[in-house]
Every structure is written in structure tokens, then in C-alpha cells.
Amino acid sequence: MTGDAYSPDNSTSECDWSKFWFCNAQQDVTSIHIGLTDLNGPVAKRGSLPREIALLSSLFDMHLSSNKLSGTVPSELGELESMMLLSLASTRLKGTIPMELSRLTGISILEIDGKLLEGPVPSEIGLLTNLEVLRLVSDNMSGPVPAELSNLTNLVYLDLSGENEITGSVSSSLCDGLERADVGELVDCECCL
């Protein structure tokens, strides 16, 4: 990967357009790091992350955290089968967490944090058996902790905190591998903060 991909010339390669993404030797975008850059508003003119991001089929690492990004989490992110790390933390994203993210079977870190996220934690998250870190933080999420999370045997950090309405309990089998967990006040959890 090249870390100095910034070249504002007339190149036709995406790899030359920005210092915020990185490419492999085949000039495929593999990593996007736009965290802590004070991006403000929607990423696309239509008010959400661009659905075309799914065209970056070699993308395995995307940090768009600690920005003022708005809009929804596009379900098309589930098409990025190479994704190992997805961080959309500390944003203004809204809507539900798309169940299509369950197609990211190789992912080890999934962070989606938006005060306006709503709805339940998708039970399909339990299909992501390589997950080590799961952070789904919001003030408006609701519903039970999915029993399917007990399938996440590699999970070491679980964060479902926020001023949400998530209820239920975290299974003792899931607790066995956790080093840290924070699930809010309405969830029964013997291994949580």
C-alpha cells in the first residue's frame, strides 16, 4: 500500500485523488481513512454515504469515524466481502443498521455509532463469527439483545451502550470470551461494566 497517494493532477486512477485512501499494487482502493477530519454533513449530495462505495470490491478497511457525517448506513456496504474493519463511530448517522452487513463474514471490527440510529440490533450480526469488536451505540435503538450474539465466540469487546431501549440479557457463553462489555442499564449482563 502507498501512504502518500495524494496527487492532485489529472490522473485517472482513484489512487491518485486523495491522501485519505490507500491502494494495493494493482491500484485497487483497499483502505479509506477519513476519521477526525471534521467532515460535515452528508457524504453524498443525496444525504447519505454513497451507495457506489460498494464498487470498491477490494476495500477491507474503512474509517469514517469522528466526523459529522449524516444520512443512513447504506445496505450496499454488505457487498464489500473483503471488509475486515468498518468504523462509522461518532457520527450523525440515522436509520436502522442494515441486516445486509451480515454478509461481511470476514469482518473483525464493526463500529457504528450514531445518536440517531434506531431499531433493533439485527440478529444477523450473529453470523459474523470472526468479530472481535462490536460497537453499536445509539440513543434510539430498541428491542432485545439478539440470542444469536452468542455465536460470536471470538468477540472480546461488546458495546451496545447509549441512552437506548435495548433489553434482555447477554448470555453467559458470550461473557466467557469478553474482556470488556458495556450494554446499558436495561440489559442483564454479569460480565458488563
Side-chain angles (χ1 to χ4, degrees):
M1 286 195 275
T2 58
D4 55 350
Y6 182 71
S7 177
D9 58 17
N10 293 326
S11 173
T12 58
S13 171
E14 302 88 7
C15 297
D16 295 332
W17 295 348
S18 176
K19 63 181 178 180
F20 298 111
W21 53 64
F22 305 89
C23 297
N24 60 17
Q26 293 77 33
Q27 295 296 293
D28 298 321
V29 176
T30 58
S31 183
I32 299 175
H33 287 249
I34 311 179
L36 297 169
T37 55
D38 203 29
L39 288 176
N40 194 349
V43 176
K45 293 178 183 177
R46 304 246 185 265
S48 63
L49 287 170
R51 298 182 187 293
E52 293 80 8
I53 201 146
L55 298 174
L56 300 174
S57 59
S58 297
L59 190 63
F60 68 84
D61 178 7
M62 185 164 68
H63 288 269
L64 299 178
S65 57
S66 300
N67 284 295
K68 297 175 184 171
L69 301 176
S70 60
T72 59
V73 179
S75 60
E76 288 82 1
L77 287 176
E79 298 173 24
L80 296 170
E81 296 176 3
S82 299
M83 187 68 67
M84 297 177 67
L85 185 152
L86 175 60
S87 180
L88 302 173
S90 300
T91 65
R92 295 180 180 172
L93 293 172
K94 62 182 178 180
T96 59
I97 296 170
M99 66 179 208
E100 289 83 358
L101 295 183
S102 66
R103 290 187 254 158
L104 303 176
T105 55
I107 197 164
S108 59
I109 298 174
L110 177 59
E111 299 179 313
I112 303 176
D113 177 346
K115 297 283 185 193
L116 302 175
L117 289 172
E118 59 189 24
V121 175
S123 60
E124 293 84 1
I125 296 287
L127 297 171
L128 304 177
T129 56
N130 289 313
L131 268 182
E132 297 174 16
V133 174
L134 177 60
R135 292 190 65 244
L136 304 175
V137 179
S138 175
D139 286 349
N140 295 305
M141 292 180 68
S142 60
V145 174
E148 291 82 358
L149 292 188
S150 63
N151 297 333
L152 304 178
T153 57
N154 292 314
L155 199 65
V156 294
Y157 179 41
L158 173 65
D159 188 352
L160 301 176
S161 64
E163 300 293 324
N164 59 52
E165 297 289 324
I166 295 175
T167 60
S169 62
V170 172
S171 71
S172 59
S173 62
L174 183 58
C175 278
D176 289 344
L178 289 176
E179 295 175 11
R180 181 171 179 208
D182 185 4
V183 293
E185 297 177 10
L186 301 177
V187 176
D188 181 29
C189 177
E190 62 186 49
C191 60
C192 298
L193 298 175

